[in-house]
Amino acid sequence: MRLQNLCLRILIAILTASLHLYAESTQPPYSCDSSDPSTKLYPFCQTKLPISQRVEDLVSRLTLDEKISQLVDTAPGIPRLGIPAYEWWSEALHGVALQTTVRQGIRFNGTIRFATSFPQVILTAASFDAHLWYRIGQVIGKEARGIYNAGQATGMTFWAPNINIFRDPRWGRGQETPGEDPLVAGKYAVSYVRGVQGDSFGGGTLGEQLQASACCKHFTAYDLDKWKGMNRFIFDAQVTLQDLADTYQPPFKSCIQEGKASGIMCAYNRVNGVPNCADYNLLSKKARGQWGFYGYITSDCDAVAIIHDDQGYAKSPEDAVADVLKAGMDVNCGDYLKNYTKSAVKKKKLPESEIDRALHNLFSIRMRLGLFNGNPTKQPYGNIAPDQVCSQEHQALALKAAQDGIVLLKNPDKLLPLSKLETKSLAVIGPNANNATKLLGNYFGPPCKTVTPLQGLQNYIKNTRYHPGCSRVACSSASINQAVKIAKGADQVILVMGLDQTQEKEEQDRVDLVLPGKQRELITAVAKAAKKPVVLVLFCGGPVDVSFAKYDQNIGSIIWAGYPGEAGGTALAQIIFGDHNPGGRLPMTWYPQDFTKVPMTDMRMRSQVSSGYPGRTYRFYNGKKVFEFGYGLSYSNYSYELASVTQNKLYLGASSNQVTKNSNTIRHKLISDIGKELCEKNKFTVTVRVKNHGEMAGKHPVLLFMRQANPGNERPIKKLVGFQTVNLNAGENAEIQYELSPCEHLSNPDDRGMMVMEEGSQFLLIGDKEYPITIIF
């Protein structure tokens, strides 16, 4: 979506200036008012009827012009039927957000002026805590409904989460995602969607009524915005069926089948020549047919227009309209459908039945949101009041999310935590130390309150001196002498450096992986001049090559803080001074600068030795790493023991005609041939004993991997098959269990994208421990 992030001061100014534009009733918009006798006669207002029947009645009453008017994100009202206007586009990536365009489904101009701003998703993912992700989704859904109840929303459909795979470290929007692993991205999608929509953590309790609607985006294989002359509007991603099967598609499948998302957004780009929004096989056969999607599909903004205007895939605007509606898309973010659908019908390129199909999906969602059930204050979720937005409970969760996500990357001599008693003075240096907007990443709303890193540290050490070091994060010039002078006079020095939205964002990918401008020069000079080794804090969504700092003895500790949200400064200070034990682990690989030789446009996941292509992500990348996926330190040491595995030999018997050999003469079998019954029968449980050997209580993510005895031949080096978090006091141990399905967790796709099981040994990996599992046909 073509959005530009505004700084917090401008955002607040816009909100204040907008008050006179929206001096509206605090009554939320809805249809089927029971006090209006005329609406009682409409079957679409009868809540006892099935939604499908109600929608059929409503659509049958619309003229062609009225129907077409509803196919765009800013859908006008239909006064003769008592239907108010509706805005499909609202944002809630890591908190209910304000859009910076004229289209505003959410407004912060009445009783509610703020919303809880959680860490940017990439940092939240570092907690590896699905329960935390669910609770964040719950808060976002509740606050969204509270804003609607206060009369400050004209839409309850939120275009989040972003669950694309963080394939390339240069991607400007990688910060919005849960990282590079498909299992993590899928689990995040399920947890967030269930929370937002009002389902239970385990799912299955939602029914028809939605608290708010979540939309998984961007479907599919979208992870390039603007890089060296190539942009997302014209990019044709060449993706193998094998990579689609085990990398790009699994998060969306989980989002639909387990999360029961009510929305999907199709992406700008083409995949193997076909625009995503015009791909019938993707939208109708795969999502709706194979995965059972029950919801609406929106285009990304102006994604229909570019099919003709930029990509040249459609010969005319009418062809573009016909292509997307026939493919299964329902609503256009933009005006293309409003402008060209009628002429497409007149030219017989599009039957009216396709419009009716789309409207059925759209009005079904609005009815599931309760917007056609009469006064919303008398409906489920009608009691969510303004005081539940930015509540103390919600703000406490934002703090916890930042605490649990922040990752300690270096601390060999235990510089951290700093002593609150022995630290008499502090120097805080860096362009990210004292700017509240830097905490928020992108797609944010006005936060309840913010605490910058400088403010958080000052709460511990009153004698704190600050210098930005660089006027901007780009750091084209650095005030090294002044920074060094301040550093020399302090007991401890904390450098707060990294990136911001001028370096990585939507429509801006990076070309380098190093720190911008003269940041490295500033860091090195200050570290050399300081009395003691310094602490380096990095704000960034994408990885940065800080190899120089990793091996510099003058830099005693490195912390990755992502974009930690409204409470980020407090969380960071608590970790630095030991009031919280860090436990986050990286959800993406940190590559060296040399990786930038690999074209960002190369979508291949798997390495290719013959050409020197190194592959991508921890599953396939065979090159050097600055920090690896899953890496993260703590103030405690943890040990693992594989306590038990209920089965170590899996008999997946088959008739001889179902077993084939690959090019390496390894016997393998299609998962579809094994069958659900045998897959279910061979599920097994892995029990891991974890012990905290440290002196501090801590929350620790435990990651369970699997590798094959003979990696290579396009198999992953290893892959994540389960993760859980455990809270342990000092000296305490606990057992955690993982249930694994061989057909899901031990299989890999062949070159046709078909999931297969190979005979032979695989190994469970937990820490430095391995355990063999044997598959027998």
Side-chain angles (χ1 to χ4, degrees), residues 408-417 556-558 631 633-635:
L408 180 62
L409 295 174
K410 177 182 178 182
N411 199 36
D413 299 318
K414 298 184 178 180
L415 170 64
L416 293 179
S557 299
I558 302 175
Y631 179 78
L633 304 173
S634 170
Y635 298 150

Side-chain angles (χ1 to χ4, degrees), residues 134 194 197-209 260 381:
Y134 171 73
R194 286 175 176 171
Q197 295 192 162
D199 206 347
S200 63
F201 174 74
T205 64
L206 182 60
E208 291 282 3
Q209 185 78 54
K260 305 297 182 185
Y381 310 115

Side-chain angles (χ1 to χ4, degrees), residues 121-123 125-126 128 133 162-171 173-188 223 243 246-251 541-543 560 585-591 595 605 615-622 624-631 703 705 716-720 723:
V121 177
I122 193 67
L123 188 72
F128 285 88
W133 304 337
N162 180 343
I163 55 171
N164 294 116
I165 296 299
F166 198 169
R167 172 189 61 93
D168 191 290
R170 293 162 287 189
W171 187 30
R173 301 188 74 178
Q175 60 180 294
E176 301 175 25
T177 75
E180 70 181 36
D181 182 78
L183 177 67
V184 174
K187 294 286 188 186
Y188 180 86
D223 49 23
D243 288 340
D246 71 353
T247 298
Y248 297 107
Q249 300 291 55
W560 175 61
R585 303 180 71 167
L586 292 177
M588 73 295 201
T589 303
W590 283 38
Y591 300 82
F595 186 83
M605 297 301 299
R616 295 178 181 276
T617 77
Y618 80 95
R619 292 181 301 137
F620 302 105
Y621 174 63
N622 59 18
K624 294 180 179 178
K625 308 175 186 71
V626 180
F627 296 108
E628 66 179 6
F629 172 89
Y631 179 78
L703 311 186
F705 294 90
I717 298 166
K718 65 178 182 179
K719 65 177 180 180
L720 190 68
F723 58 90

Side-chain angles (χ1 to χ4, degrees), residues 395-690:
Q395 293 183 57
L397 187 63
L399 174 60
K400 179 175 175 53
Q403 290 170 333
D404 291 355
I406 289 173
V407 181
L408 180 62
L409 295 174
K410 177 182 178 182
N411 199 36
D413 299 318
K414 298 184 178 180
L415 170 64
L416 293 179
L418 299 181
S419 169
K420 289 174 271 191
L421 296 176
E422 295 178 7
T423 305
K424 304 300 182 184
S425 61
L426 198 62
V428 179
I429 296 167
N432 280 334
N434 196 34
N435 186 321
T437 309
K438 310 287 188 184
L439 300 167
L440 305 178
N442 66 359
Y443 283 100
F444 59 84
C448 309
K449 63 180 180 181
T450 54
V451 177
T452 68
L454 176 62
Q455 292 167 336
L457 293 165
Q458 285 174 328
N459 288 335
Y460 282 90
I461 307 297
K462 300 304 179 187
N463 184 13
T464 295
R465 296 190 66 189
Y466 162 69
H467 195 283
C470 312
S471 60
R472 296 180 180 85
V473 164
C475 203
S476 56
S477 62
S479 304
I480 293 176
N481 292 337
Q482 296 95 314
V484 164
K485 183 178 180 180
I486 290 174
K488 285 181 176 179
D491 287 345
Q492 301 284 355
V493 177
I494 298 172
L495 288 146
V496 189
M497 313 297 290
L499 309 177
D500 66 1
Q501 301 305 300
T502 67
Q503 305 297 309
E504 54 174 356
K505 63 180 178 181
E506 186 169 359
E507 295 199 81
Q508 183 177 329
D509 301 320
R510 289 185 288 160
V511 294
D512 288 307
L513 295 178
V514 294
L515 289 168
K518 296 186 177 181
Q519 280 198 37
R520 175 175 176 174
E521 186 179 344
L522 173 66
I523 292 167
T524 302
V526 168
K528 186 176 180 180
K531 296 176 183 178
K532 302 172 184 175
V534 303
V535 177
L536 174 61
V537 177
L538 297 169
F539 276 30
C540 53
V544 179
D545 184 351
V546 288
S547 299
F548 77 93
K550 182 178 179 180
Y551 299 111
D552 187 340
Q553 293 184 351
N554 294 319
I555 299 173
S557 299
I558 302 175
I559 292 174
W560 175 61
Y563 297 115
E566 65 175 40
T570 299
L572 181 64
Q574 289 176 343
I575 286 171
I576 287 173
F577 282 99
D579 284 336
H580 185 81
N581 192 353
R585 303 180 71 167
L586 292 177
M588 73 295 201
T589 303
W590 283 38
Y591 300 82
Q593 168 69 4
D594 190 58
F595 186 83
T596 58
K597 295 176 182 177
V598 177
M600 194 173 172
T601 49
D602 194 326
M603 299 292 288
R604 289 176 297 165
M605 297 301 299
R606 288 156 167 83
S607 62
Q608 187 179 62
V609 176
S610 61
S611 65
Y613 182 69
R616 295 178 181 276
T617 77
Y618 80 95
R619 292 181 301 137
F620 302 105
Y621 174 63
N622 59 18
K624 294 180 179 178
K625 308 175 186 71
V626 180
F627 296 108
E628 66 179 6
F629 172 89
Y631 179 78
L633 304 173
S634 170
Y635 298 150
S636 298
N637 293 317
Y638 297 89
S639 66
Y640 308 119
E641 179 184 348
L642 274 164
S644 68
V645 180
T646 54
Q647 292 189 74
N648 61 6
K649 292 185 178 180
L650 307 176
Y651 294 91
L652 299 169
S655 58
S656 58
N657 65 342
Q658 292 177 322
V659 179
T660 56
K661 293 182 178 180
N662 61 24
S663 58
N664 288 340
T665 69
I666 296 174
R667 283 160 44 100
H668 65 274
K669 185 180 178 185
L670 289 170
I671 296 299
S672 58
D673 287 340
I674 293 174
K676 291 183 179 179
E677 184 177 346
L678 201 53
C679 288
E680 192 71 23
K681 181 180 177 181
N682 279 276
K683 284 184 176 179
F684 61 100
T685 300
V686 179
T687 302
V688 177
R689 186 174 296 116
V690 187

Side-chain angles (χ1 to χ4, degrees), residues 18 22 87 89-90 98-99 101-107 154:
S18 298
Y22 296 102
E87 176 55 62
W89 180 7
S90 293
L98 177 76
Q99 283 139 252
T101 68
V102 293
R103 296 178 167 100
Q104 294 188 27
I106 294 290
R107 302 185 303 276
T154 53

